[in-house]
Amino acid sequence: MLFNSISFLFVFLPVAWLLFHVAERAGLPKLAIGVLIAGSFVFYAYWNLAYVFILGGSIFANYLIAAHLDALAGLRTLSRRLVLSVGIAANLGLLGWFKYSNFLVDEFNRTTGTGFELAHIALPIGISFFTFQQIAYLVDVYRRAGFDSSLLRYCLFVSFFPQLIAGPIVHHREMMPQFGRGRSGRIIRDLAIGGTIFVIGLAKKVIIADSMAVPADLVFDGAAAGLAPTLIDAWSGALCFAFQIYFDFSGYCDMAVGLARLFGIRLPMNFASPYKATSIIDFWRRWHITLSRFLRDYLYVPLGGNRSGPARRYVNVFITMVLGGIWHGAGWPFAIWGVLHGILIVINQGWRHWQASRATDPQTGRTQISAMRMPVGIQRAAIFVLIVLTWVPFRAADAGAMTLVYAGMAGLNGISLPAAFAPVAGLLPGIVDPPGVVFDGLAVDPAQILLWIPALLCLVWLCPNSMEIMRGVRPIIATKGYPATHLSRSSPARPARFRPVWLLRPRFALATGLVLAVCLIQFNDPSRFLYFQF
């Protein structure tokens, strides 16, 4: 069931919301939690009934392992470490079987020339997210960060439908204190805040992301079929996909935050204007924040982090990013995407270290000169181009399609311009029939480039994001160590604080209603969120 579907918006959500608040108003918090659990399993069963047994079995098994870890709290560390290792291995084994088994068998056959066959294994939707979430919980229990003995509450922690399918990856200590609290006096406030954020996210997905998907699919699907995109087509496809995935994931994050707030729950920060990043490191502090947090706390730090010198730190960062790339999907393009980001982050860290050493007196330790920095606008533009280039393997169907798109972006496949440009080119000396240029029209509509791309660049670089607009009502939980733009009072764009009473103002209600109406018109063929496939 998609967030951007009629069945979700006008059937499932109203019923779940009404039953939940009726139970809470009746003073039955356990019943309210039960309603959310039942609704979450119905939501998950909509995709495939068999997936419910996988989710339920994973929840019950991890609860038993966590309870055993907690029971061993006073015993030897070795015993607890063994239980934790078994729990992590079981979770990774389940994820690996569903996500990577077909790929590994195919690669083994291709390499060795054998013909082993494995029945196609469908990937249960959201398994990567609820698996990582439960691994984090087991590690936290092992570290004595808290254990909740209630199976009912643990089940809700894992299955809560606004963040079940594509995150954010939450911690138990962030979520569970919020459940079971009476909030009957804040229903209208939460409805206003959550509904507004949801409509903003819905508009990002339906109006922008889905529009950008058309030219992006045209270029990348053509490359997968063996068609070589020309210079402008290749860059058009790459840019359109960069904006598609940006607004698709940003829209999903807003919709998840809005849905959770309808039930009085605040989710952690997961998206903070990543195209405003001034470095690759900054990008990963802004993009999919809870995944970055998980990789940092449960992979990078256990590998040694930065405790063993620069060389080991670079190796740890590189391994973390490669594994993060592989987590996104079973295929060489995802591994290449992880490798590219690993290399870029290592270079970024090395550059920072070199700048710091240049700016510090080795004898006194005092700063001699401030490190030279490019203007912020140039930094953002340069990082944006790098990000666009690295999105190519992420979107490409295989290595061959990736190579064709990169060749097109380098101009190796020639240049194609709209036929309407031919008379103009003929007026310029030396431009008549230039080699490699063909006036036969574009595969991608030029309007996508001339209108959409500049407008979207202005939107992501100059405008406040949805959490900054809503910062006056504390829409989300700040994630320690990551940008908290929703709390910032020094944003270049100083948006007015949203107040729930605005929902009652005719102009605000009309504007929100019009945006929602435009979105509903596009519901004829709702599309899945890109991160649902991971």
Side-chain angles (χ1 to χ4, degrees):
M1 193 182 305
L2 295 169
F3 292 167
N4 53 324
S5 64
I6 297 294
S7 58
F8 177 84
L9 277 179
F10 295 101
V11 180
F12 172 82
L13 184 60
V15 172
W17 185 84
L18 182 63
L19 292 177
F20 172 78
H21 285 291
V22 167
E24 281 225 324
R25 288 292 295 266
L28 301 171
K30 288 188 177 180
L31 179 60
I33 290 177
V35 167
L36 283 182
I37 294 173
S40 297
F41 274 87
V42 169
F43 173 79
Y44 197 65
Y46 189 87
W47 302 96
N48 188 325
L49 183 60
Y51 293 169
V52 173
F53 298 99
I54 297 171
L55 174 63
S58 175
I59 290 172
F60 187 66
N62 277 280
Y63 173 79
L64 293 179
I65 295 170
H68 193 46
L69 277 172
D70 184 65
L72 296 175
L75 301 180
R76 293 181 303 171
T77 303
L78 182 60
S79 300
R80 303 182 73 244
R81 187 174 298 171
L82 178 61
V83 173
L84 176 64
S85 300
V86 170
I88 293 176
N91 279 285
L92 293 179
L94 181 70
L95 178 61
W97 170 255
F98 282 104
K99 197 164 188 175
Y100 304 105
S101 55
N102 282 313
F103 170 74
L104 293 175
V105 169
D106 291 343
E107 286 301 306
F108 182 80
N109 288 336
R110 187 182 63 83
T111 303
T112 62
T114 54
F116 292 105
E117 292 186 4
L118 187 66
H120 178 70
I121 300 173
L123 179 68
I125 192 166
I127 189 172
S128 297
F129 291 92
F130 67 71
T131 298
F132 271 24
Q133 190 162 305
Q134 294 189 98
I135 288 175
Y137 179 66
L138 293 181
V139 175
D140 289 346
V141 172
Y142 173 80
R143 294 172 177 172
R144 298 179 174 86
F147 170 72
D148 191 333
S149 59
S150 171
L151 176 59
L152 194 69
R153 289 166 59 84
Y154 179 74
C155 187
L156 179 58
F157 158 66
V158 178
S159 65
F160 188 44
F161 74 89
Q163 48 85 213
L164 171 63
I165 304 300
I169 301 171
V170 298
H171 287 305
H172 187 272
R173 61 181 178 272
E174 293 173 329
M175 298 296 294
M176 296 319 299
Q178 300 184 66
F179 290 109
R181 298 183 309 186
R183 54 180 63 80
S184 58
R186 300 188 303 171
I187 294 177
I188 300 301
R189 175 184 174 86
D190 288 339
L191 178 63
I193 296 169
T196 301
I197 297 174
F198 182 86
V199 170
I200 292 173
L202 185 65
K204 290 179 181 178
K205 165 63 178 172
V206 173
I207 298 175
I208 302 179
D210 289 352
S211 297
M212 290 291 95
V214 176
D217 290 347
L218 192 65
V219 171
F220 282 96
D221 291 348
L227 302 177
T230 58
L231 178 69
I232 298 178
D233 283 353
W235 275 101
S236 300
L239 285 166
C240 288
F241 177 71
F243 286 114
Q244 178 197 357
I245 194 169
Y246 180 97
F247 285 100
D248 189 280
F249 190 49
S250 177
Y252 166 80
C253 290
D254 286 350
M255 293 167 78
V257 167
L259 288 172
R261 191 60 182 259
L262 292 177
F263 298 90
I265 305 300
R266 292 191 302 142
L267 295 178
M269 187 77 172
N270 203 34
F271 198 88
S273 301
Y275 286 172
K276 291 181 181 178
T278 55
S279 69
I280 294 295
I281 293 174
D282 189 27
F283 173 81
W284 277 104
R285 294 177 69 245
R286 294 169 174 270
W287 179 276
H288 209 329
I289 292 172
T290 57
L291 174 63
S292 298
R293 177 179 65 175
F294 177 91
L295 294 175
R296 180 198 65 187
D297 294 345
Y298 301 101
L299 182 57
Y300 174 71
V301 172
L303 284 173
N306 56 3
R307 298 189 299 269
S308 301
R312 180 60 184 272
R313 179 184 65 197
Y314 298 150
V315 171
N316 293 339
V317 166
F318 183 77
I319 293 173
T320 299
M321 293 310 302
V322 172
L323 292 178
I326 295 173
W327 172 85
H328 281 84
W332 291 114
F334 290 108
I336 293 171
W337 179 73
V339 167
L340 289 175
H341 275 276
I343 292 172
L344 289 173
I345 291 180
V346 168
I347 293 172
N348 196 172
Q349 287 189 339
W351 172 253
R352 286 186 174 184
H353 179 73
W354 180 81
Q355 280 190 312
S357 65
R358 291 265 300 177
T360 305
D361 189 324
Q363 295 180 348
T364 64
R366 296 180 178 177
T367 301
Q368 295 177 326
I369 55 172
S370 59
M372 295 181 62
R373 298 176 63 88
M374 293 185 295
V376 171
I378 295 178
Q379 292 182 64
R380 285 179 177 171
I383 296 303
F384 175 73
V385 172
L386 280 177
I387 295 301
V388 171
L389 290 170
T390 58
W391 279 134
V392 172
F394 192 92
R395 174 59 180 85
D398 50 42
M402 177 189 70
T403 302
L404 284 175
V405 174
Y406 273 141
M409 296 174 79
L412 300 180
N413 299 332
I415 303 174
S416 175
L417 296 175
F421 284 16
V424 178
L427 299 176
L428 303 176
I431 304 299
V432 180
D433 296 329
V437 178
V438 180
F439 295 107
D440 61 354
L442 284 173
V444 178
D445 184 352
Q448 299 286 354
I449 309 304
L450 299 178
L451 299 177
W452 273 102
I453 300 302
L456 294 179
L457 279 172
C458 291
L459 184 61
V460 300
W461 281 348
L462 303 178
C463 297
N465 60 46
S466 52
M467 296 302 106
E468 289 172 328
I469 294 172
M470 304 291 291
R471 73 182 190 273
V473 291
R474 298 176 65 232
I476 49 183
I477 303 170
T479 305
K480 185 178 180 181
Y482 293 89
T485 58
H486 65 296
L487 299 176
S488 174
R489 298 176 184 273
S490 58
S491 173
R494 296 294 299 275
R497 290 191 176 190
F498 173 86
R499 290 179 172 81
V501 295
W502 288 6
L503 188 65
L504 303 178
R505 295 181 179 177
R507 284 181 296 179
F508 180 84
L510 178 61
T512 305
L514 286 175
V515 173
L516 180 59
V518 172
C519 294
L520 292 177
I521 293 173
Q522 307 296 321
F523 274 18
N524 294 330
D525 186 22
S527 63
R528 292 175 60 167
F529 292 90
L530 293 177
Y531 263 79
F532 277 23
Q533 63 185 304
F534 306 135

